[in-house]
Amino acid sequence: MKSLCVLKSGSKDSLVSDTLRTEIMMRNGKSLLYTVLMVLMVCSVWGVKVQISWYGRVTAGHRTEFTCSSSCFPNCVYSWTFKGRTVNGSTLTWTPDGQDDTVELRCAVHDPGTGISSSTSSFLEISNQMSVRVSPPNTVPTLNQSLNLVCLSPGDPKGQSDLIWFKDGQKVTQRENLKFLQNNRTLHFDSVLPSDAGFYQCQTFLPSLQTRVISLGFLLSFDLWNVSIRGPDSVFPGRLSEFTCLTSCTQNVECTVRWQFGGSFPIGTFFSVNGNRIRWTPSIPGAFQNFNCVAENKAAGRSAEATKLVEVKGVPVSGSEAAKLHRLLLLISFMGFKSLI
């Protein structure tokens, strides 16, 4: 949880903070680092605690209600931010359309009476039951050979309608060597051409849910392996970002994925690696970080890789300042961990 504590001069909060600061300086020889740490802890005590909650899985095509609650009372203002949109209120009802597998959902709370604001974020993992697959399964796409791509979707008691195919985000139209079969559920190539390579998705309307859903995609490629890294080119200190290694080989079957970091490990308040996915909250503004994803099959002697350079936006800091900031963040994280024990 990220929170902002506002202490007004002359207020009770300010007097408490000043008293603690004086005592800390006397006991620790005016240790600036420890003083800053304790002031931050005082802010968390006097600030507003915020949390986001919902029930069940977040699934493409299904409506989900999210609730933002806090210790702020009574006349507090709530707002949500996600995918560049802002919605007011303590509850948010949203139906994912399948275009994202993860979304950052942020709730902010503001108390007009005290001027205190606080916010928290949650990374939603969105399940999508629609996908595109080759038919028959395990077919290897080959130039100048026929190929079927099938749109797989969950059953709908009212049926489906308006099934549309997309390639690289553009609507696919029928042509001489490309036909729609089985009410558009199958995309049939009489003879696959090099120009047919691309990222294919299907979209349908589900009457029972009254919503449109777009499928997970299929990368049609004639290279041995194709690897890319999906994620932002620039990130911000204190904000969680996600990077995903995409491969045309089947992970943990044809290939395994491992990450490299260009000689410098990502510095931040949070970092995790889970298979082909990285989550990172950077802390040093002005820094640059290399992410390198390697897909390999050591037994077969095959590999492919992709690299992405990511910039941490903000004013650069000197080496000594960066080291002090990193130690401070580690101390804050450690103290926060101890408080939970």
Side-chain angles (χ1 to χ4, degrees):
M1 182 189 75
K2 302 171 188 175
S3 63
L4 172 65
C5 180
V6 180
L7 300 179
K8 298 181 179 180
S9 59
S11 67
K12 178 180 179 181
D13 292 352
S14 179
L15 292 175
V16 172
S17 178
D18 290 341
T19 302
L20 283 175
R21 187 182 293 107
T22 302
E23 291 180 359
I24 293 165
M25 286 183 177
M26 292 175 63
R27 295 178 184 177
N28 298 275
K30 298 183 179 181
S31 171
L32 176 61
L33 186 63
Y34 194 61
T35 301
V36 172
L37 175 61
M38 289 303 297
V39 170
L40 287 174
M41 291 176 65
V42 170
C43 285
S44 66
V45 171
W46 289 90
V48 177
K49 295 182 179 180
V50 186
Q51 68 177 17
I52 297 173
S53 60
W54 67 94
Y55 298 96
R57 300 175 63 185
V58 181
T59 304
H62 291 261
R63 184 175 301 174
T64 303
E65 183 177 278
F66 304 89
T67 302
C68 185
S69 57
S70 74
S71 58
C72 183
F73 184 82
N75 299 316
C76 302
V77 180
Y78 292 83
S79 63
W80 299 87
T81 304
F82 68 107
K83 297 187 65 175
R85 298 165 53 187
T86 299
V87 178
N88 294 325
S90 60
T91 61
L92 169 70
T93 301
W94 178 49
T95 303
D97 59 9
Q99 296 191 56
D100 306 280
D101 54 8
T102 59
V103 169
E104 182 185 10
L105 187 64
R106 178 183 293 267
C107 175
V109 183
H110 177 71
D111 187 338
T114 63
I116 296 177
S117 297
S118 190
S119 67
T120 189
S121 293
S122 180
F123 246 89
L124 306 178
E125 293 190 358
I126 302 171
S127 172
N128 194 341
Q129 299 174 344
M130 285 187 61
S131 62
V132 174
R133 294 289 185 268
V134 294
S135 180
N138 302 321
T139 299
V140 178
T142 305
L143 288 172
N144 303 318
Q145 299 293 321
S146 63
L147 179 70
N148 287 330
L149 296 182
V150 179
C151 180
L152 303 177
S153 59
D156 190 311
K158 294 185 179 181
Q160 302 170 7
S161 62
D162 300 330
L163 197 149
I164 304 172
W165 285 88
F166 294 91
K167 173 195 170 188
D168 298 330
Q170 301 296 315
K171 185 177 178 180
V172 175
T173 56
Q174 190 165 280
R175 58 178 188 271
E176 185 177 353
N177 75 317
L178 179 63
K179 299 180 177 64
F180 298 121
L181 305 177
Q182 298 178 327
N183 293 326
N184 290 3
R185 288 177 59 85
T186 298
L187 195 61
H188 173 75
F189 299 86
D190 290 331
S191 178
V192 179
L193 305 175
S195 58
D196 292 324
F199 191 71
Y200 287 83
Q201 293 174 285
C202 58
Q203 176 185 278
T204 190
F205 179 77
L206 303 178
S208 65
L209 300 172
Q210 288 296 301
T211 188
R212 292 187 179 275
V213 180
I214 192 163
S215 71
L216 298 172
F218 177 83
L219 180 62
L220 178 58
S221 173
F222 310 107
D223 297 329
L224 291 178
W225 281 351
N226 195 331
V227 180
S228 63
I229 299 175
R230 182 176 63 192
D233 295 325
S234 58
V235 295
F236 297 88
R239 178 170 295 183
L240 184 64
S241 298
E242 183 170 297
F243 302 87
T244 305
C245 182
L246 303 175
T247 67
S248 58
C249 56
T250 304
Q251 294 180 33
N252 301 320
V253 178
E254 297 177 299
C255 62
T256 58
V257 168
R258 60 183 174 87
W259 291 91
Q260 299 174 334
F261 305 107
S264 61
F265 193 80
I267 296 176
T269 56
F270 178 82
F271 181 81
S272 70
V273 179
N274 184 8
N276 68 328
R277 185 173 295 173
I278 283 179
R279 289 178 177 177
W280 178 40
T281 303
S283 58
I284 307 297
F288 289 85
Q289 179 64 50
N290 264 312
F291 290 109
N292 181 251
C293 173
V294 181
E296 61 184 351
N297 186 324
K298 293 184 178 180
R302 295 177 58 187
S303 67
E305 62 183 83
T307 300
K308 174 182 280 289
L309 180 64
V310 180
E311 178 186 5
V312 183
K313 291 289 188 178
V315 179
V317 296
S318 66
S320 59
E321 290 174 333
K324 291 178 181 178
L325 178 59
H326 185 49
R327 289 196 297 270
L328 175 60
L329 291 168
L330 289 176
L331 279 171
I332 294 171
S333 300
F334 174 72
M335 293 297 293
F337 175 74
K338 286 186 66 179
S339 67
L340 296 175
I341 298 177

